[in-house]
């Protein structure tokens, strides 16, 4: 079984023709469970959850159009899961829950892109890394991973160690492993799955998310996984899955989790 649950239409249009470019690519690559999970910050309905100048310039969708697109697809027999990728925002648990509960998502991805006012994965904020203490950024980032898991709002945590995207990584391995350990402890006590994401291979870090040491801890603590490409263009759907599957097997995984209308089912990786 292959899944690809993390994909975006934002570089194109919310149209059936553009969506079909993604679903056709998924079918060609043998991906049986495919979903679109647009960034929640693009939608007018999330302004009360996350708002800052960078985000507000990119808020231009309405959820009614998004939901309508999936109904068009389903009416034509296209098997695509409806999801959202929500920026986990501390202090906005009630607002996030209200938004999630309003829509009939197949699953919901929670991700961390902001540490306070610092957009950790944005090129516009790259210069900030040299001004900040890397250990402090990592500690605050994984603080959010812990509370994201404890919120139990999300089915999947996106790109678990996205914080490494620009190759800023603590030199102190003991410190780093402590962050990994507490994050996986929290995830193990939640419903949240971890994605093996090939997106990191297309980023400056040039690695899968998550780090193999981190994924080993996930496996040891029985945290389920999914496979994702985080494709922003159709051609990246299912990209580099040979590496993702090899990593999963290397640390001991033999199964994946699948989702449909909030229901989950464990299936064999092969």
């Amino acid at each position: 079984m292959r899944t690809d649950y993390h994909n975006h239409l934002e570089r194109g249009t919310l149209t059936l023709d553009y969506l079909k470019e993604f679903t056709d690519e998924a079918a060609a690559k043998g991906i049986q469970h495919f979903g679109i999970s647009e960034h929640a910050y693009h939608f007018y309905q999330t302004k009360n959850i996350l708002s800052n100048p960078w985000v507000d310039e990119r808020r231009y969708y309405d959820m009614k159009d998004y939901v309508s697109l999936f109904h068009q697809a389903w009416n034509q027999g296209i098997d695509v899961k409806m999801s959202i990728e929500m920026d986990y925002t501390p202090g906005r648990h009630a607002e996030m829950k209200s938004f999630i509960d309003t829509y009939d998502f197949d699953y919901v991805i929670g991700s961390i892109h902001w540490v306070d006012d610092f957009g950790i994965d944005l090129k516009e904020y790259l210069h900030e890394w040299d001004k900040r203490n890397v250990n402090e950024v990592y500690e605050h980032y994984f603080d959010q991973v812990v509370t994201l898991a404890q919120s139990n709002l999300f089915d999947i945590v996106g790109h678990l160690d996205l914080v490494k995207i620009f190759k800023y990584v603590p030199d102190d391995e003991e410190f780093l492993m402590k962050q990994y350990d507490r994050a996986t402890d929290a995830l193990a006590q939640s419903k949240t799955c971890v994605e093996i994401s090939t997106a990191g291979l297309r980023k400056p870090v040039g690695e899968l998310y998550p780090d193999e040491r981190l994924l080993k801890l996930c496996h040891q603590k029985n945290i389920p996984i999914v496979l994702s490409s985080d494709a922003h263009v159709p051609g990246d759907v299912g990209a580099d899955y040979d590496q993702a599957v090899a990593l999963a097997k290397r640390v001991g995984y033999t199964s994946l989790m699948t989702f449909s209308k909030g229901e989950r089912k464990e299936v064999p990786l092969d």
Side-chain angles (χ1 to χ4, degrees):
M1 175 69 76
R2 298 290 180 266
T3 66
D4 197 345
Y5 282 140
H6 190 158
N7 300 281
H8 298 276
L9 301 175
E10 63 183 6
R11 294 186 188 173
T13 55
L14 293 185
T15 62
L16 192 57
D17 284 346
Y18 191 55
L19 174 62
K20 286 174 69 174
E21 292 185 37
F22 283 80
T23 56
D24 287 350
E25 186 74 16
K29 290 180 177 172
I31 293 166
Q32 297 95 329
H33 276 245
F34 178 81
I36 296 292
S37 52
E38 198 49 78
H39 287 290
Y41 65 73
H42 285 314
F43 296 91
Y44 302 125
Q45 288 82 359
T46 62
K47 187 172 177 60
N48 66 329
I49 297 171
L50 177 65
S51 181
N52 63 46
W54 190 94
V55 164
D56 291 343
E57 287 181 2
R58 294 159 176 82
R59 198 184 310 279
Y60 40 63
Y61 288 154
D62 193 296
M63 280 297 297
K64 72 178 188 323
D65 299 321
Y66 190 62
V67 172
S68 174
L69 173 61
F70 287 93
H71 282 279
Q72 292 174 52
W74 298 332
N75 287 340
Q76 291 201 16
I78 298 171
D79 187 6
V80 58
K81 307 299 181 186
M82 182 176 75
S83 175
I84 204 83
E85 181 187 10
M86 174 159 283
D87 284 274
Y88 172 73
T89 308
R92 292 287 185 269
H93 286 200
E95 292 86 349
M96 289 187 288
K97 185 178 189 305
S98 177
F99 175 81
I100 291 167
D101 290 348
T102 299
Y103 304 98
D104 193 18
F105 295 119
D106 286 288
Y107 57 93
V108 179
I109 298 173
S111 298
I112 298 160
H113 299 94
W114 296 90
V115 175
D116 299 322
D117 61 348
F118 179 25
I120 58 165
D121 67 325
L122 299 174
K123 62 181 185 300
E124 294 93 332
Y125 290 81
L126 179 55
H127 64 282
E128 286 287 332
W129 275 102
D130 290 323
K131 301 177 183 178
R132 296 173 184 252
N133 181 294
V134 172
N135 282 24
E136 288 182 3
V137 174
Y138 268 68
E139 187 166 29
H140 293 159
Y141 177 88
F142 282 101
D143 284 346
Q144 290 192 55
V145 174
V146 169
T147 52
L148 179 156
Q150 291 171 342
S151 77
N152 228 27
L153 290 171
F154 306 101
D155 299 293
I156 301 167
V157 57
H159 33 61
L160 181 54
D161 55 350
L162 177 70
V163 67
K164 71 183 181 184
I165 186 170
F166 292 121
K167 298 185 180 181
Y168 288 84
V169 180
D171 295 326
D172 185 344
E173 184 167 355
E174 183 179 352
F175 168 83
L176 186 60
M177 292 305 297
K178 180 180 178 182
Q179 309 313 310
Y180 292 172
D181 193 44
R182 67 192 185 97
T184 50
D185 278 349
L187 288 165
Q189 297 300 314
S190 77
K191 70 175 185 179
T192 319
C193 301
V194 166
E195 65 175 18
I196 300 180
S197 171
T198 62
L201 296 170
R202 306 189 298 275
K203 303 297 183 180
V205 71
E207 298 177 2
L208 294 164
Y209 304 119
D211 178 273
E212 184 166 341
R213 295 165 295 178
L214 178 51
L215 190 64
K216 281 181 181 177
L217 287 175
C218 292
H219 180 257
Q220 289 168 11
K221 298 175 187 181
N222 298 311
I223 300 167
I225 59 166
V226 300
L227 302 179
S228 293
S229 66
D230 199 353
H232 286 67
V233 294
D236 285 338
V237 170
D240 300 306
Y241 265 28
D242 54 339
Q243 295 188 52
V245 171
L247 174 61
K249 291 180 176 179
R250 197 157 60 242
V251 303
Y253 279 102
T254 59
S255 65
L256 298 172
M257 197 64 73
T258 61
F259 297 91
S260 183
K261 300 303 178 191
E263 297 295 322
R264 55 183 62 202
K265 180 181 178 182
E266 190 172 8
V267 299
L269 181 58
D270 286 319

